[in-house]
Amino acid sequence: MEYTGKMTDKNITIMKEFILLGFSDLPNFQGFLFAIILVIYICILLGNGLIIVITNVERALQTPMYYFLGNFSFVEICYTSVPLPRMLKNLWTQKRNISLISCAVQLCFFLILGVTESFLLAVMAYDRYVAICKPLYYPLIMNPKMCVQMVITSWLTGIPVIIGQTYHIFSMPFCGSNKLNYAFCDMPPLMKLACGDISGGKLFTYIDCLLFALIPLVLILYSYVRILRTILKLPSITGRSKAFSTCSSHLTVVGLFYGSGFIAYLQSKNSYSAGTDKIFSLFYIIVTPMVNPMIYSLRNKDFIEAMRKLFSKCIE
């Protein structure tokens, strides 16, 4: 444990590094956990990488829906690549220390990519809304320029606020131990170690959830309410089934992403459970990116056909 000094008459420690405990409470399973997480990480890279390749090379998939899906898969790769390599390194070397600067950088990029993912999910819901509720205007509204602008906006919107939030969190004093009972640097365990007046940090957290999680979620739900009303008016059962099919994959990913994220971030300090929180943190950095390719590919006939064509060309 490294310190630069202590403030007079206060139990406040100025830290140079944190210790990421991760899964150190399972000493006999470190090798097993390393192998499992490594396999999952490779699956995430391959699965989402395949989506990016197919949506870019297959002409039949050169549509706004697949353009957004390709960008979403790219964000998933970046999102998991922020914590997982460090997590694997810690499991392999058993050295769990991380400098204050590295922790801040990891948290900042992790939150920025999480915000980007949240807004992209809202953009994808809007795309489905226009396609189903305003099909005649779809090519006009979802033109290439608009699609690019929506993706860029999703990437850039949260950056200023997240940088300010990260600065504020690491400007707070931390008390006592420098051990984070977590696998990577995230807000819940950092807020647990913060002391003194942390109301500003909590306020930032709630503002973050409101602006970058709740508002996109409300937009998603509003889009799907309008979509559901339109689908129920369709005279053809086949048409209803096809419309539901194109939306169900996206709704599944939304449920996985927001469900685990809200549980992890909105727990009160009194109900904070490190073990439960670690499980949910793994859920939203590993499970959702891993199942995303399966959810979108296995339930999409156009995507399956595109994969078949791509593999056929590779074999020839």
Side-chain angles (χ1 to χ4, degrees):
M1 189 184 299
E2 296 185 23
Y3 306 106
T4 60
K6 291 190 176 181
M7 295 182 180
T8 307
D9 300 327
K10 291 185 180 181
N11 187 27
I12 297 176
T13 305
I14 300 175
M15 298 179 184
K16 291 176 63 177
E17 66 177 17
F18 290 110
I19 306 297
L20 294 170
L21 295 180
F23 301 96
S24 58
D25 54 336
L26 301 171
N28 298 325
F29 293 92
Q30 299 298 294
F32 176 75
L33 288 171
F34 174 85
I36 292 296
I37 294 176
L38 178 61
V39 169
I40 291 174
Y41 185 42
I42 292 172
C43 289
I44 291 171
L45 296 178
L46 292 178
N48 287 284
L50 181 63
I51 288 179
I52 294 170
V53 171
I54 291 179
T55 54
N56 278 278
V57 302
E58 182 57 46
R59 287 190 176 183
L61 302 184
Q62 301 293 309
T63 64
M65 181 177 76
Y66 292 107
Y67 172 73
F68 294 134
L69 178 58
N71 278 275
F72 184 75
S73 294
F74 177 70
V75 174
E76 293 273 53
I77 290 175
C78 297
Y79 185 65
T80 55
S81 294
V82 172
L84 286 191
R86 182 95 195 193
M87 195 185 303
L88 289 168
K89 174 180 173 289
N90 293 347
L91 286 169
W92 181 259
T93 64
Q94 299 299 300
K95 294 179 181 179
R96 299 182 173 86
N97 57 307
I98 182 171
S99 69
L100 202 70
I101 296 297
S102 296
C103 189
V105 170
Q106 186 183 75
L107 176 65
C108 187
F109 277 100
F110 182 71
L111 293 179
I112 288 173
L113 290 164
V115 169
T116 303
E117 191 164 344
S118 181
F119 275 101
L120 274 177
L121 286 170
V123 167
M124 293 166 77
Y126 178 72
D127 172 71
R128 292 298 83 209
Y129 159 72
V130 177
I132 294 173
C133 300
K134 300 182 178 182
L136 297 178
Y137 296 97
Y138 184 76
L140 181 64
I141 296 174
M142 303 305 293
N143 59 73
K145 183 179 178 180
M146 176 60 71
C147 292
V148 172
Q149 289 176 343
M150 293 173 82
V151 168
I152 292 174
T153 302
S154 298
W155 273 94
L156 299 180
T157 299
I159 290 178
V161 176
I162 295 301
I163 291 176
Q165 182 177 21
T166 304
Y167 175 79
H168 182 82
I169 289 173
F170 282 87
S171 297
M172 294 189 299
F174 295 99
C175 301
S177 173
N178 66 342
K179 295 179 180 179
L180 291 174
N181 194 8
Y182 225 65
F184 60 97
C185 291
D186 203 359
M187 281 198 294
L190 286 168
M191 294 298 295
K192 187 185 179 186
L193 290 187
C195 58
D197 184 11
I198 62 171
S199 58
K202 287 185 176 180
L203 180 62
F204 251 118
T205 302
Y206 291 131
I207 290 174
D208 181 35
C209 290
L210 175 64
L211 292 177
F212 305 131
L214 189 59
I215 290 178
L217 179 60
V218 169
L219 293 175
I220 291 170
L221 294 177
Y222 176 75
S223 296
Y224 276 106
V225 168
R226 298 291 299 272
I227 288 171
L228 182 61
R229 290 173 58 184
T230 301
I231 290 175
L232 293 177
K233 293 178 182 178
L234 294 176
S236 169
I237 297 177
T238 304
R240 292 181 191 176
S241 177
K242 185 176 181 180
F244 275 123
S245 178
T246 60
C247 296
S248 60
S249 299
H250 180 251
L251 277 173
T252 303
V253 174
V254 168
L256 289 171
F257 178 75
Y258 279 101
S260 57
F262 276 131
I263 291 173
Y265 275 81
L266 296 182
Q267 290 185 97
S268 68
K269 193 170 182 178
N270 293 330
S271 65
Y272 181 89
S273 169
T276 304
D277 220 40
K278 278 193 288 188
I279 292 173
F280 277 107
S281 70
L282 283 180
F283 197 82
Y284 66 76
I285 68 169
I286 287 181
V287 177
T288 305
M290 183 179 66
V291 302
N292 171 48
M294 293 184 285
I295 291 173
Y296 277 104
S297 61
L298 297 180
R299 303 188 64 178
N300 190 307
K301 293 181 180 179
D302 293 336
F303 200 90
I304 293 173
E305 180 62 22
M307 281 197 298
R308 187 187 66 77
K309 289 181 180 179
L310 180 64
F311 289 140
S312 298
K313 290 178 181 178
C314 292
I315 294 173
E316 291 176 357

